[in-house]
Amino acid sequence: VSGNRLARAGAELHRRRLDALIVSHPANIRYLTGLNASAGACVVTPSPCTLVVDLRYATAAAEAVAGSSIQIEVADASIDDGAIAVIRGLRPPRVGVEGAHLTVARFNKLSGALTPTELISTERVIEELRVIKDAEEIERLRHAGRMISAVARQARDWVVSGAAEVEVAACVDAAMRQAGFERPAFDTIVASGPNGCLPHARPTRRRLAEGDGVVLDFGGVYDGYCVDLTRTLLIGEVPAPFRRMFEAVREAQAAAIAAVVPGAAAADIDGAARRVLGAHGLAAAFGHGTGHGLGLEVHEEPRISRTVPADERVQAGMVFTIEPGAYIPGLGGVRIEDDVLVVTGGCELLTDVPIEL
Ligand code: ZN
Ligand code: ZN
């Protein structure tokens, strides 16, 4: 992990007038230290950083931080007790915790044990650093984008009349493993025919049939980094209204991708997709946001949606999905999703799959 991440975290602490920050969210710990663990705490201070782990992760932690300035504290009781010991040694007046990731019970325990240190609930300190990817992260995401695209290009072989949704999902998952992903980023979605109108449908025993549109949405984790892709496959001749919906979503997705440029408001990128769907009479059929950030988590900053403040702008180095959709009960659904990296003058597509497979 680049030492620059800790330096940026330290600068952020300074800006927020915090003497230290207890990082407890696993994705944030991984971002700062390289440690992939389900539990741990990272005590970030302007100069040293201490990674608190229990015995289970002592070896992995030592390997992760080798060659860096990060110190390791192996807690013999709980992680929180270890973090308390580290903070007591530093005696800082103001310590931040991650409000979105710490339970009230843990907050109360830390707060009681650390008196008179003031514990301050913070929001998105490390998340804001993560939103701009560094060179190492971009390389991984590019590679993962190529891998997920190769999986998607095989989908026509699985999405055939007579196959059950759960069988298609199993093929997708097996191909992701085969491609080199460490695990799926979320439960694979295969939503055929009328099931397609539920954006987060779970695969069922329903068998695909002639005339179905089939929404295939899947993601993989490669070296910790998530990519996410959706294609809607058509089996034989689909009803004309479904075909029109497909073309409208294709056009909406292209419009949103064309709107991605450094400085563009996230809400305007969403608006570009929404305007196209509206022009096709599908405004009410598009009930979710246009995209979400990708990185160590499959849903992270930035949000590309109409609900984000108008001054939230995308910047070079951000990676997110563009995935407009349209869903009509009885008719089914269409969603098309690709992953983009914002670069000078526009965006680079990390995924490369024909829209119509
Ligand atoms: Zn997806
Ligand atoms: Zn997505």
Side-chain angles (χ1 to χ4, degrees):
V1 167
S2 143
N4 193 29
R5 294 183 192 170
L6 278 175
R8 288 166 67 214
E12 193 57 32
L13 256 58
H14 185 75
R15 201 176 67 77
R16 298 187 187 223
R17 300 184 203 295
L18 295 170
D19 303 296
L21 174 70
I22 302 174
V23 176
S24 53
H25 184 49
N28 290 341
I29 294 172
R30 183 165 189 173
Y31 180 74
L32 293 174
T33 70
L35 176 67
N36 177 17
S38 59
C42 188
V43 179
V44 182
T45 61
S47 55
C49 165
T50 305
L51 175 58
V52 183
V53 292
D54 58 28
L55 259 178
R56 289 176 299 167
Y57 292 113
T59 308
E63 280 170 10
V65 308
S68 80
S69 63
I70 300 170
Q71 293 164 6
I72 295 179
E73 171 82 21
V74 180
D76 38 32
S78 72
I79 299 282
D80 287 345
D81 290 322
I84 287 164
V86 171
I87 299 275
R88 276 186 184 146
L90 299 167
R91 300 183 169 279
R94 283 168 54 88
V95 174
V97 293
E98 298 183 295
H101 306 295
L102 198 69
T103 62
V104 174
R106 286 181 71 191
F107 181 88
N108 288 342
K109 178 182 173 177
L110 291 169
S111 189
L114 291 172
T115 310
T117 287
E118 187 189 357
L119 276 199
I120 293 153
S121 178
T122 65
E123 295 293 332
R124 304 170 60 226
V125 181
I126 307 303
E127 282 82 350
E128 275 176 20
L129 305 180
R130 284 170 47 196
V131 74
I132 305 291
K133 269 60 188 178
D134 59 32
E136 189 181 325
E137 295 180 292
I138 288 169
E139 242 355 273
R140 286 178 188 168
L141 285 160
R142 275 199 184 114
H143 190 79
R146 285 192 291 270
M147 283 163 58
I148 200 92
S149 302
V151 173
R153 285 192 291 264
Q154 304 170 54
R156 192 77 254 183
D157 296 342
W158 312 319
V159 178
V160 291
S161 187
E165 290 176 353
V166 285
E167 291 165 0
V168 176
C171 291
V172 171
D173 293 349
M176 280 199 285
R177 299 266 182 192
Q178 191 70 37
F181 286 106
E182 57 205 54
R183 60 185 167 85
F186 54 88
D187 290 340
T188 295
I189 295 168
V190 181
S192 66
N195 294 346
C197 71
L198 309 165
H200 282 103
R202 302 185 63 87
T204 70
R205 310 266 356 144
R206 182 183 185 278
R207 294 196 176 276
L208 314 188
E210 282 294 307
D212 277 355
V214 185
V215 177
L216 208 63
D217 186 353
F218 56 100
V221 184
Y222 167 71
D223 217 353
Y225 283 79
C226 302
V227 285
D228 183 4
L229 187 146
T230 306
R231 285 294 182 271
T232 301
L233 286 87
L234 313 178
I235 304 185
E237 274 304 302
V238 295
F242 192 95
R243 183 81 220 185
R244 286 197 292 275
M245 185 160 74
F246 183 92
E247 294 303 333
V249 173
R250 181 209 292 251
E251 190 186 329
Q253 202 230 9
I257 290 172
V260 178
V261 58
D268 289 345
I269 298 171
D270 177 272
R274 215 163 284 283
R275 204 161 32 249
V276 170
L277 288 167
H280 289 276
L282 291 168
F286 178 30
H288 56 76
T290 291
H292 53 86
L294 293 169
L296 288 168
E297 291 175 287
V298 72
H299 290 111
E300 57 176 61
E301 304 280 320
R303 308 283 158 176
I304 309 299
S305 117
R306 58 183 152 174
T307 60
V308 299
D311 62 349
E312 279 196 17
R313 297 176 183 281
V314 303
Q315 299 172 52
M318 287 184 177
V319 172
F320 49 83
T321 69
I322 295 289
E323 53 176 307
Y327 313 89
I328 296 179
L331 185 61
V334 175
R335 183 164 64 257
I336 300 171
E337 174 177 33
D338 284 290
D339 304 343
V340 302
L341 162 68
V342 184
V343 296
T344 308
C347 70
E348 172 187 326
L349 277 163
L350 299 180
T351 42
D352 175 22
V353 182
I355 297 295
E356 202 163 350
L357 281 167

